[in-house]
Amino acid sequence: MLFAQSAFAQKTFLFPKVKPQGSSIEQLTPTNWTVIETANGDLNADGVDDLAVIFESNKIIDETRTYGDNNSEIIKETQKPRILAIYFKDKATGNLKLSAQNNDFILRSEEGGKLGDPLQQIAIKDQQLFLRFAGGSQWRWELGYTFKFQDKDWFLTNAINLYFNQNTGDMTERIYDFNGRQLFTTVGNLHRRDIENRKTSEVLFFSQLRTFKTFKKPWAWEIMPNVYL
């Protein structure tokens, strides 16, 4: 009986498979999950508004999350897991058809530090999906990611990482252009951008564009030594 209780306590949380198609968000929402954010816009250049939706579980669980690299799961968080689902709308029928489900990339409500829930924005513009997060305390961070559907997959095309001190304004901002393989870095002061900031650009080295499958979540890609995106 003791073994059975231990095995039950360590049972891994299983994410539901979201419905592959439906005509409304209500139909697509998994049981015991809640819609917390949505975005509408054309993602596949067919002239029809598609849907990106973030679901949050109604249940709080112990979840092991990756930080610092794309493989290790090293920090246990007690929180509600989240799912990102992307649907294309069929131009003829109006039905929403699943393009991608991701259970890891969206930061959870407890991952923003003292500022609270880090999820700031999900938006669709210019056939791209935008995700924005922020958190921290005296030292704060802002992360932004842009994904685009091309060659039948979702590729990370741009990103931004801003790290700054709320009191002094000291900051480092990195803007990544993955299609152009360029990194633009600004180091200086957030409050005195025109006077003290130093801007540089350099070639961005990486083997291939990342996707939701190969870039697990924020803070999980060591894109340069000791620089995480």
Side-chain angles (χ1 to χ4, degrees):
M1 180 177 292
L2 180 61
F3 174 80
Q5 289 177 342
S6 177
F8 178 80
Q10 296 176 9
K11 184 178 180 181
T12 302
F13 176 79
L14 297 177
F15 283 84
K17 291 185 178 180
V18 299
K19 294 181 180 179
Q21 64 179 354
S23 59
S24 67
I25 295 179
E26 290 74 20
Q27 289 183 359
L28 300 172
T29 304
T31 303
N32 295 321
W33 289 69
T34 299
V35 175
I36 60 170
E37 293 288 346
T38 64
N40 296 93
D42 186 6
L43 286 166
N44 56 351
D46 64 353
V48 177
D49 278 356
D50 305 304
L51 170 69
V53 55
I54 297 175
F55 301 113
E56 183 178 72
S57 174
N58 296 340
K59 299 179 180 179
I60 297 174
I61 66 165
D62 288 334
E63 188 176 23
T64 306
R65 298 280 281 165
T66 295
Y67 287 90
D69 62 64
N70 202 41
N71 299 308
S72 302
E73 295 185 330
I74 56 175
I75 295 180
K76 180 178 286 187
E77 305 275 6
T78 301
Q79 57 200 358
K80 295 179 179 180
R82 290 172 171 177
I83 294 173
L84 170 65
I86 306 171
Y87 289 88
F88 292 144
K89 178 176 283 189
D90 186 276
K91 196 170 186 177
T93 66
N95 284 337
L96 295 161
K97 297 185 177 180
L98 183 66
S99 172
Q101 173 181 347
N102 183 282
N103 302 332
D104 297 303
F105 200 84
I106 301 300
L107 292 180
R108 314 326 194 197
S109 64
E110 303 304 309
E111 295 180 321
K114 291 186 177 181
L115 291 183
D117 193 336
L119 179 59
Q120 298 293 302
Q121 183 187 39
I122 178 172
I124 296 172
K125 183 180 179 181
D126 298 328
Q127 297 171 15
Q128 299 177 101
L129 176 66
F130 296 83
L131 298 168
R132 300 291 182 265
F133 307 97
S137 182
Q138 179 177 333
W139 280 97
R140 301 188 180 186
W141 49 265
E142 296 179 6
L143 294 169
Y145 305 92
T146 303
F147 288 87
K148 186 174 180 62
F149 187 74
Q150 53 194 27
D151 299 326
K152 299 181 179 181
D153 206 347
W154 289 94
F155 290 91
L156 180 69
T157 58
N158 299 87
I160 182 171
N161 184 347
L162 173 62
Y163 185 61
F164 66 96
N165 186 293
Q166 175 66 16
N167 295 325
T168 67
D170 292 340
M171 67 125 187
T172 299
E173 179 185 62
R174 294 184 175 92
I175 298 175
Y176 301 85
D177 174 3
F178 294 104
N179 284 329
R181 290 182 175 266
Q182 290 287 311
L183 169 61
F184 304 94
T185 303
T186 302
V187 178
N189 193 282
L190 190 66
H191 307 315
R192 305 179 66 185
R193 285 180 175 266
D194 297 334
I195 301 175
E196 298 188 1
N197 290 358
R198 302 179 302 278
K199 298 182 179 181
T200 60
S201 63
E202 59 190 291
V203 176
L204 190 58
F205 292 98
F206 57 93
S207 58
Q208 58 186 358
L209 291 175
R210 295 291 180 105
T211 69
F212 281 123
K213 295 177 182 178
T214 57
F215 183 15
K216 192 167 187 178
K217 62 176 289 297
W219 302 124
W221 182 5
E222 188 177 13
I223 192 167
M224 296 181 293
N226 298 315
V227 176
Y228 294 90
L229 182 60

